[in-house]
């Protein structure tokens, strides 16, 4: 999902609740658009130098990343648990004139996963809300990377300073993410594994700084 400004950015499932389709459809139903529509900054930074191929966008939300990838020549499969989000993503790609390069499919990644291999698998801001088994999903994502392909995992390093409803949550470090990906990624090249700061618009409209984790690994050809 594309993480940018939104007044309800602190709204997450209750502790212990499964962040399923009903929750996310309700979340997207709060407004006509809950993300900015722009691509995630870390995706742009990490992928701009890659030759286009087949991309899988996990948790594609309203399609900001998918549109950006398609405009640069990628053939994109986007998946999300929310049918509401996927409907908006399809409209977004049509409006951008790239619908022929993008397909969307609804998946609860705890139960099903897109078929095939991809030159890029992007998992941006898939977090352990409720009972979501993020580590298992990330290993499945790694197994979908084609030889010579790239896995990009971007996640928050902690709550944003302006988020005052902070339930108990663990935000894995880059090193923990790399450990979670084992043994699928054994022998892969680690291109980046670090924390990075970015500016994100706060609910009051002013810019704020938050820290994310970025892990980018490449499967040997």
């Amino acid at each position: 999902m594309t993480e940018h400004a939104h007044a309800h950015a602190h709204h997450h499932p209750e502790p212990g609740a499964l962040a399923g389709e009903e929750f996310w459809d309700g979340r997207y139903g709060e407004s006509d658009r809950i993300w900015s529509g722009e691509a995630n900054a870390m995706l742009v930074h990490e992928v701009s130098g890659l030759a286009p191929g087949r991309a899988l966008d996990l948790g594609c939300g309203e399609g900001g990343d998918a549109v950006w990838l398609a405009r640069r020549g990628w053939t994109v499969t986007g998946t999300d648990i929310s049918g509401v989000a996927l409907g908006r993503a399809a409209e977004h790609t049509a409006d951008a004139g790239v619908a022929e390069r993008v397909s969307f499919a609804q998946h609860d990644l705890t139960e099903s996963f897109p078929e095939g291999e991809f030159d890029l698998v992007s998992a941006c801001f898939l977090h352990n809300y409720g009972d979501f088994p993020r580590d298992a999903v990330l290993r499945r994502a790694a197994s979908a990377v084609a030889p010579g392909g790239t896995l990009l995992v971007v996640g928050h390093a902690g709550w944003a300073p302006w988020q005052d409803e902070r339930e108990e949550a663990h935000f894995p470090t880059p090193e923990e993410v790399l450990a979670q990906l084992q043994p699928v990624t054994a022998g892969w090249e680690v291109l980046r594994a670090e924390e990075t700061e970015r500016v994100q618009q706060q609910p009051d409209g002013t810019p704020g700084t938050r820290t994310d984790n970025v892990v980018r690994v490449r499967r040997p050809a």
Side-chain angles (χ1 to χ4, degrees), residues 146-216:
T150 296
L151 173 66
L152 176 66
V153 180
V154 180
H156 297 311
W159 294 113
W162 56 87
Q163 290 175 316
D164 52 6
E165 297 181 17
R166 306 184 188 188
E167 65 264 25
E168 288 294 321
H170 175 65
F171 296 89
T173 66
E175 293 74 22
E176 287 174 327
V177 172
L178 288 174
Q180 290 167 357
L181 291 172
Q182 297 290 336
V184 179
T185 58
W188 292 28
E189 182 180 4
V190 178
L191 300 173
R192 189 175 186 194
E194 62 187 20
E195 292 187 350
T196 181
E197 289 188 346
R198 66 182 166 96
V199 175
Q200 179 181 332
Q201 186 176 326
Q202 302 183 77
D204 64 4
T206 62
T209 300
R210 74 177 310 170
T211 304
D212 294 329
N213 293 328
V214 181
V215 172
R216 179 182 165 200

Side-chain angles (χ1 to χ4, degrees), residues 10-81:
H10 61 276
H11 181 185
H12 297 308
E14 293 299 318
L18 180 62
E21 180 181 1
E22 182 179 358
F23 170 83
W24 284 108
D25 278 348
R27 174 89 156 85
Y28 281 101
E30 291 175 357
S31 60
D32 291 337
R33 171 175 283 183
I34 70 169
W35 309 123
S36 71
E38 301 297 322
N40 281 300
M42 279 298 99
L43 176 85
V44 174
H45 184 270
E46 296 297 320
V47 174
S48 290
L50 297 180
R54 296 185 65 212
L56 174 60
D57 181 8
L58 298 174
C60 64
E62 293 164 328
D65 287 359
V67 167
W68 184 86
L69 288 164
R71 281 175 168 164
R72 280 147 188 83
W74 292 84
T75 300
V76 186
T77 297
T79 180
D80 202 278
I81 196 171

